[in-house]
Amino acid sequence: MSGIEGKVVAITGASSGIGEATATYLAAHGAHLVLGARREDRLNAVVDRIRAEGGSATGVVVDVTRREDLKRLTDRAVAHFGRLDVLVSNAGTMAISPFDELRQDDWDAMVATHITGLLNGIGAALPLFRRQRSGQFVNVASTAAYVVKPPQAVYAATKTAVKVLTEGLRQESGPDLRVTLVSPGFTNTEGVGKGASPEAAAAVIRQRDEIAMPPSAVASAIGYAIEQPDGVDISEIVVRPTVQA
Ligand code: NDP
Protein backbone atom coordinates (compact mmCIF):
# COMPACT_ATOMS: atom_id res chain seq x y z
CA MET A 1 0.00 0.00 0.00
CA SER A 2 1.46 3.34 -1.04
CA GLY A 3 1.45 6.31 1.32
CA ILE A 4 -1.20 7.86 -0.88
CA GLU A 5 -3.63 4.96 -1.15
CA GLY A 6 -6.76 5.42 0.95
CA LYS A 7 -5.95 9.00 2.00
CA VAL A 8 -8.71 11.59 1.80
CA VAL A 9 -7.36 14.65 -0.02
CA ALA A 10 -9.20 17.94 -0.66
CA ILE A 11 -7.82 20.13 -3.44
CA THR A 12 -8.79 23.72 -4.23
CA GLY A 13 -8.45 24.96 -7.78
CA ALA A 14 -9.04 21.45 -9.09
CA SER A 15 -10.96 22.42 -12.24
CA SER A 16 -7.82 22.89 -14.38
CA GLY A 17 -4.03 23.01 -14.49
CA ILE A 18 -1.95 21.93 -11.51
CA GLY A 19 -5.01 21.17 -9.36
CA GLU A 20 -6.52 18.91 -12.01
CA ALA A 21 -3.18 17.18 -12.64
CA THR A 22 -2.73 16.63 -8.90
CA ALA A 23 -6.22 15.15 -8.64
CA THR A 24 -5.45 12.83 -11.56
CA TYR A 25 -2.12 11.72 -10.06
CA LEU A 26 -3.52 11.12 -6.57
CA ALA A 27 -6.61 9.29 -7.90
CA ALA A 28 -4.35 6.96 -9.87
CA HIS A 29 -2.51 6.21 -6.61
CA GLY A 30 -5.70 5.36 -4.71
CA ALA A 31 -6.60 8.58 -2.88
CA HIS A 32 -10.20 9.63 -2.20
CA LEU A 33 -10.64 13.15 -3.53
CA VAL A 34 -12.77 16.13 -2.62
CA LEU A 35 -12.31 18.65 -5.41
CA GLY A 36 -13.17 22.35 -5.22
CA ALA A 37 -13.33 25.23 -7.72
CA ARG A 38 -15.82 27.85 -8.97
CA ARG A 39 -16.51 26.62 -12.53
CA GLU A 40 -19.01 23.85 -11.91
CA ASP A 41 -18.93 22.44 -15.46
CA ARG A 42 -15.14 22.11 -15.47
CA LEU A 43 -15.10 20.69 -11.96
CA ASN A 44 -17.76 18.11 -12.81
CA ALA A 45 -15.83 17.12 -15.92
CA VAL A 46 -12.75 16.38 -13.79
CA VAL A 47 -14.79 14.40 -11.23
CA ASP A 48 -16.55 12.42 -13.98
CA ARG A 49 -13.28 11.60 -15.76
CA ILE A 50 -11.60 10.42 -12.56
CA ARG A 51 -14.59 8.21 -11.71
CA ALA A 52 -14.66 6.82 -15.26
CA GLU A 53 -11.00 5.87 -14.81
CA GLY A 54 -11.88 3.97 -11.62
CA GLY A 55 -10.92 6.70 -9.14
CA SER A 56 -12.80 8.04 -6.13
CA ALA A 57 -13.84 11.71 -6.23
CA THR A 58 -16.57 14.17 -5.33
CA GLY A 59 -16.83 17.84 -6.27
CA VAL A 60 -17.88 20.93 -4.33
CA VAL A 61 -18.34 24.36 -5.91
CA VAL A 62 -15.98 26.52 -3.87
CA ASP A 63 -14.84 30.11 -3.98
CA VAL A 64 -11.85 30.11 -1.64
CA THR A 65 -12.36 33.78 -0.79
CA ARG A 66 -15.53 32.73 1.05
CA ARG A 67 -14.93 31.24 4.47
CA GLU A 68 -18.10 29.16 4.43
CA ASP A 69 -17.13 27.53 1.12
CA LEU A 70 -13.95 26.04 2.59
CA LYS A 71 -15.99 24.75 5.51
CA ARG A 72 -18.33 23.05 3.01
CA LEU A 73 -15.30 21.47 1.31
CA THR A 74 -13.91 19.99 4.53
CA ASP A 75 -17.41 19.01 5.73
CA ARG A 76 -17.91 17.11 2.44
CA ALA A 77 -14.70 15.16 3.09
CA VAL A 78 -15.97 14.04 6.48
CA ALA A 79 -19.52 13.33 5.26
CA HIS A 80 -18.35 11.37 2.23
CA PHE A 81 -15.15 9.69 3.36
CA GLY A 82 -15.21 9.98 7.18
CA ARG A 83 -12.11 12.14 7.56
CA LEU A 84 -9.71 14.53 5.85
CA ASP A 85 -6.03 13.65 5.61
CA VAL A 86 -4.68 16.40 3.35
CA LEU A 87 -5.80 19.86 2.21
CA VAL A 88 -4.01 21.06 -0.95
CA SER A 89 -4.50 24.85 -1.18
CA ASN A 90 -3.78 25.41 -4.84
CA ALA A 91 -6.42 27.87 -6.10
CA GLY A 92 -4.77 30.89 -7.66
CA THR A 93 -4.87 33.67 -10.18
CA MET A 94 -1.88 35.06 -12.07
CA ALA A 95 -3.40 38.40 -13.09
CA ILE A 96 -0.08 40.18 -13.41
CA SER A 97 0.24 43.78 -14.64
CA PRO A 98 2.46 46.87 -14.17
CA PHE A 99 1.58 49.08 -11.17
CA ASP A 100 0.91 52.04 -13.49
CA GLU A 101 -2.12 50.27 -14.93
CA LEU A 102 -3.74 50.44 -11.47
CA ARG A 103 -5.61 47.17 -11.87
CA GLN A 104 -6.72 47.34 -8.28
CA ASP A 105 -9.48 44.75 -8.66
CA ASP A 106 -6.83 42.26 -9.79
CA TRP A 107 -4.61 43.18 -6.84
CA ASP A 108 -7.57 42.57 -4.52
CA ALA A 109 -8.34 39.25 -6.22
CA MET A 110 -4.78 37.98 -5.76
CA VAL A 111 -4.74 39.02 -2.09
CA ALA A 112 -8.17 37.44 -1.53
CA THR A 113 -7.43 34.22 -3.40
CA HIS A 114 -3.90 33.54 -2.20
CA ILE A 115 -3.89 34.99 1.32
CA THR A 116 -7.51 35.02 2.53
CA GLY A 117 -8.17 31.82 0.58
CA LEU A 118 -5.26 30.05 2.26
CA LEU A 119 -6.35 31.29 5.70
CA ASN A 120 -9.91 30.13 5.03
CA GLY A 121 -8.54 26.66 4.31
CA ILE A 122 -6.49 26.67 7.50
CA GLY A 123 -9.54 27.86 9.46
CA ALA A 124 -11.66 25.02 8.09
CA ALA A 125 -9.15 22.17 8.31
CA LEU A 126 -7.06 22.90 11.40
CA PRO A 127 -9.76 22.12 14.01
CA LEU A 128 -10.52 18.89 12.14
CA PHE A 129 -6.84 17.91 11.96
CA ARG A 130 -6.48 18.67 15.70
CA ARG A 131 -9.47 16.42 16.51
CA GLN A 132 -8.09 13.64 14.30
CA ARG A 133 -4.56 14.19 15.69
CA SER A 134 -3.31 14.01 12.11
CA GLY A 135 -3.46 15.93 8.87
CA GLN A 136 -1.36 17.66 6.25
CA PHE A 137 -1.49 21.08 4.66
CA VAL A 138 0.07 21.34 1.18
CA ASN A 139 0.21 24.96 0.08
CA VAL A 140 1.05 25.93 -3.50
CA ALA A 141 3.19 29.07 -3.75
CA SER A 142 5.48 29.84 -6.73
CA THR A 143 9.09 30.55 -7.61
CA ALA A 144 7.76 34.15 -7.51
CA ALA A 145 7.86 33.72 -3.72
CA TYR A 146 11.66 33.64 -4.01
CA VAL A 147 12.35 36.33 -6.61
CA VAL A 148 10.30 39.27 -7.84
CA LYS A 149 10.35 40.32 -11.48
CA PRO A 150 8.33 43.09 -13.15
CA PRO A 151 5.37 43.25 -13.54
CA GLN A 152 4.67 40.52 -10.97
CA ALA A 153 5.09 42.39 -7.66
CA VAL A 154 1.57 41.90 -6.31
CA TYR A 155 1.48 38.26 -7.39
CA ALA A 156 4.94 37.69 -5.89
CA ALA A 157 3.97 39.46 -2.66
CA THR A 158 0.92 37.25 -2.18
CA LYS A 159 2.93 34.11 -2.95
CA THR A 160 5.62 35.28 -0.50
CA ALA A 161 2.81 35.55 2.05
CA VAL A 162 1.84 31.94 1.26
CA LYS A 163 5.44 30.93 1.97
CA VAL A 164 5.60 32.84 5.26
CA LEU A 165 2.19 31.60 6.45
CA THR A 166 3.17 28.04 5.60
CA GLU A 167 6.41 28.22 7.57
CA GLY A 168 4.64 29.84 10.53
CA LEU A 169 1.94 27.19 10.45
CA ARG A 170 4.57 24.45 10.33
CA GLN A 171 6.30 25.88 13.39
CA GLU A 172 3.02 25.93 15.33
CA SER A 173 1.70 22.62 14.04
CA GLY A 174 3.31 20.24 16.55
CA PRO A 175 4.20 16.58 16.04
CA ASP A 176 0.83 15.36 14.70
CA LEU A 177 0.51 17.60 11.64
CA ARG A 178 2.55 18.01 8.46
CA VAL A 179 2.90 21.26 6.55
CA THR A 180 4.36 21.43 3.06
CA LEU A 181 5.10 24.33 0.73
CA VAL A 182 5.28 23.48 -2.98
CA SER A 183 6.63 26.25 -5.22
CA PRO A 184 6.35 25.59 -8.96
CA GLY A 185 8.18 27.43 -11.69
CA PHE A 186 6.74 27.90 -15.17
CA THR A 187 4.06 25.27 -15.67
CA ASN A 188 2.06 24.69 -18.82
CA THR A 189 -1.48 25.59 -17.76
CA GLU A 190 -4.31 27.75 -19.02
CA GLY A 191 -3.77 30.03 -16.03
CA VAL A 192 -0.53 31.50 -17.40
CA GLY A 193 -1.37 34.97 -18.72
CA LYS A 194 -5.07 34.65 -17.84
CA GLY A 195 -6.37 37.98 -16.54
CA ALA A 196 -2.97 39.60 -17.06
CA SER A 197 -2.51 42.88 -18.93
CA PRO A 198 -2.06 42.17 -22.68
CA GLU A 199 1.67 42.90 -22.77
CA ALA A 200 2.39 40.89 -19.63
CA ALA A 201 0.19 38.04 -20.88
CA ALA A 202 2.00 37.90 -24.22
CA ALA A 203 5.38 37.74 -22.47
CA VAL A 204 4.49 34.96 -20.02
CA ILE A 205 2.60 32.92 -22.62
CA ARG A 206 5.66 33.11 -24.88
CA GLN A 207 7.85 31.95 -21.98
CA ARG A 208 5.36 29.23 -21.06
CA ASP A 209 5.36 27.89 -24.59
CA GLU A 210 9.17 27.93 -24.72
CA ILE A 211 10.15 26.55 -21.31
CA ALA A 212 7.21 25.34 -19.21
CA MET A 213 7.09 21.93 -17.59
CA PRO A 214 3.90 19.85 -17.59
CA PRO A 215 1.55 20.18 -14.58
CA SER A 216 2.14 16.48 -13.90
CA ALA A 217 5.64 17.47 -12.67
CA VAL A 218 4.08 19.51 -9.87
CA ALA A 219 1.49 16.81 -9.20
CA SER A 220 4.14 14.17 -8.57
CA ALA A 221 6.06 16.57 -6.27
CA ILE A 222 2.86 17.02 -4.24
CA GLY A 223 2.39 13.24 -4.27
CA TYR A 224 5.93 12.80 -2.92
CA ALA A 225 5.16 15.07 0.03
CA ILE A 226 1.91 13.21 0.75
CA GLU A 227 3.31 9.68 0.48
CA GLN A 228 5.92 10.12 3.24
CA PRO A 229 5.46 8.06 6.39
CA ASP A 230 3.79 9.62 9.46
CA GLY A 231 6.26 11.75 11.32
CA VAL A 232 8.16 12.78 8.19
CA ASP A 233 7.48 16.26 6.86
CA ILE A 234 8.63 17.45 3.46
CA SER A 235 8.59 21.11 4.43
CA GLU A 236 9.47 22.73 1.12
CA ILE A 237 9.74 21.75 -2.53
CA VAL A 238 10.75 24.03 -5.41
CA VAL A 239 10.11 22.41 -8.79
CA ARG A 240 10.95 24.21 -12.01
CA PRO A 241 12.00 23.56 -15.60
CA THR A 242 15.76 23.13 -15.88
CA VAL A 243 15.90 26.03 -18.33
CA GLN A 244 14.23 28.47 -15.90
CA ALA A 245 16.80 30.80 -14.35
P1 NDP B 1 -5.14 27.39 -13.63
O1 NDP B 1 -5.75 28.70 -14.01
O2 NDP B 1 -5.23 26.27 -14.58
O3 NDP B 1 -5.74 26.91 -12.26
C1 NDP B 1 -6.17 27.78 -11.25
C2 NDP B 1 -7.24 27.07 -10.47
O4 NDP B 1 -7.63 27.89 -9.37
C3 NDP B 1 -8.48 26.81 -11.30
O5 NDP B 1 -8.96 25.51 -11.01
C4 NDP B 1 -9.46 27.87 -10.83
O6 NDP B 1 -10.77 27.34 -10.96
C5 NDP B 1 -9.05 27.99 -9.37
N1 NDP B 1 -9.44 29.24 -8.73
C6 NDP B 1 -9.06 30.50 -9.03
N2 NDP B 1 -9.63 31.37 -8.19
C7 NDP B 1 -10.40 30.63 -7.34
C8 NDP B 1 -11.25 30.95 -6.26
N3 NDP B 1 -11.44 32.21 -5.86
N4 NDP B 1 -11.88 29.95 -5.62
C9 NDP B 1 -11.71 28.68 -6.02
N5 NDP B 1 -10.92 28.30 -7.03
C10 NDP B 1 -10.28 29.28 -7.68
O7 NDP B 1 -3.63 27.73 -13.28
P2 NDP B 1 -2.49 26.86 -12.58
O8 NDP B 1 -2.86 25.44 -12.51
O9 NDP B 1 -1.24 27.23 -13.24
O10 NDP B 1 -2.47 27.48 -11.11
C11 NDP B 1 -2.59 26.70 -9.94
C12 NDP B 1 -1.73 27.31 -8.85
O11 NDP B 1 -0.37 27.19 -9.21
C13 NDP B 1 -1.99 28.80 -8.61
O12 NDP B 1 -1.97 29.06 -7.22
C14 NDP B 1 -0.81 29.45 -9.30
O13 NDP B 1 -0.50 30.71 -8.73
C15 NDP B 1 0.28 28.42 -9.03
N6 NDP B 1 1.44 28.52 -9.90
C16 NDP B 1 1.32 28.33 -11.26
C17 NDP B 1 2.43 28.44 -12.07
C18 NDP B 1 2.37 28.28 -13.56
O14 NDP B 1 3.37 28.61 -14.24
N7 NDP B 1 1.26 27.78 -14.11
C19 NDP B 1 3.76 28.73 -11.50
C20 NDP B 1 3.76 28.89 -10.08
C21 NDP B 1 2.64 28.77 -9.31
P3 NDP B 1 -12.11 28.16 -11.17
O15 NDP B 1 -11.81 29.29 -12.10
O16 NDP B 1 -13.03 27.12 -11.74
O17 NDP B 1 -12.50 28.60 -9.80
Side-chain angles (χ1 to χ4, degrees):
M1 179 160 140
S2 86
I4 293 172
E5 191 173 355
K7 281 194 176 155
V8 181
V9 183
I11 305 173
T12 67
S15 60
S16 62
I18 291 168
E20 178 179 3
T22 302
T24 303
Y25 180 91
L26 296 177
H29 288 78
H32 300 294
L33 300 173
V34 185
L35 304 180
R38 295 165 303 177
R39 290 170 297 174
E40 192 169 13
D41 54 336
R42 293 285 300 267
L43 185 64
N44 287 342
V46 175
V47 170
D48 289 348
R49 182 179 51 73
I50 286 172
R51 285 183 182 160
E53 291 165 359
S56 169
T58 180
V60 186
V61 175
V62 164
D63 180 340
V64 296
T65 67
R66 297 162 59 94
R67 202 179 286 177
E68 61 274 22
D69 284 15
L70 265 301
K71 184 75 173 58
R72 279 195 299 110
L73 188 76
T74 56
D75 283 351
R76 174 70 70 85
V78 175
H80 227 75
F81 300 118
R83 56 185 290 113
L84 177 67
D85 295 303
V86 186
L87 173 62
V88 180
S89 290
N90 161 74
T93 172
M94 296 177 273
I96 57 172
S97 59
F99 276 113
D100 275 327
E101 292 189 10
L102 293 178
R103 293 183 172 227
Q104 289 181 254
D105 287 345
D106 293 343
W107 303 348
D108 288 350
M110 287 189 277
V111 170
T113 309
H114 302 151
I115 301 179
T116 308
L118 177 64
L119 293 172
N120 286 342
I122 294 169
L126 186 58
L128 182 56
F129 288 169
R130 290 295 188 209
R131 280 198 299 278
Q132 294 176 168
R133 295 182 180 278
S134 75
Q136 181 174 16
F137 291 97
V138 177
N139 299 336
V140 176
S142 168
T143 48
Y146 298 80
V147 57
V148 57
K149 293 179 183 162
Q152 301 183 7
V154 179
Y155 177 73
T158 60
K159 289 299 188 175
T160 303
V162 171
K163 180 164 165 271
V164 171
L165 291 167
T166 303
E167 174 58 10
L169 180 63
R170 188 192 66 75
Q171 290 176 14
E172 291 184 33
S173 65
D176 295 334
L177 305 194
R178 305 194 295 174
V179 183
T180 301
L181 182 77
V182 175
S183 293
F186 258 109
T187 310
N188 194 352
T189 70
E190 66 183 49
V192 174
K194 192 168 163 184
S197 64
E199 212 174 301
V204 288
I205 287 169
R206 197 179 327 113
Q207 257 183 304
R208 177 193 67 187
D209 293 347
E210 284 169 6
I211 71 166
M213 61 191 171
S216 57
V218 186
S220 56
I222 291 172
Y224 175 72
I226 292 175
E227 75 188 7
Q228 298 305 310
D230 287 347
V232 176
D233 183 46
I234 302 294
S235 307
E236 198 165 334
I237 296 176
V238 181
V239 49
R240 68 181 121 211
T242 50
V243 288
Q244 181 177 338

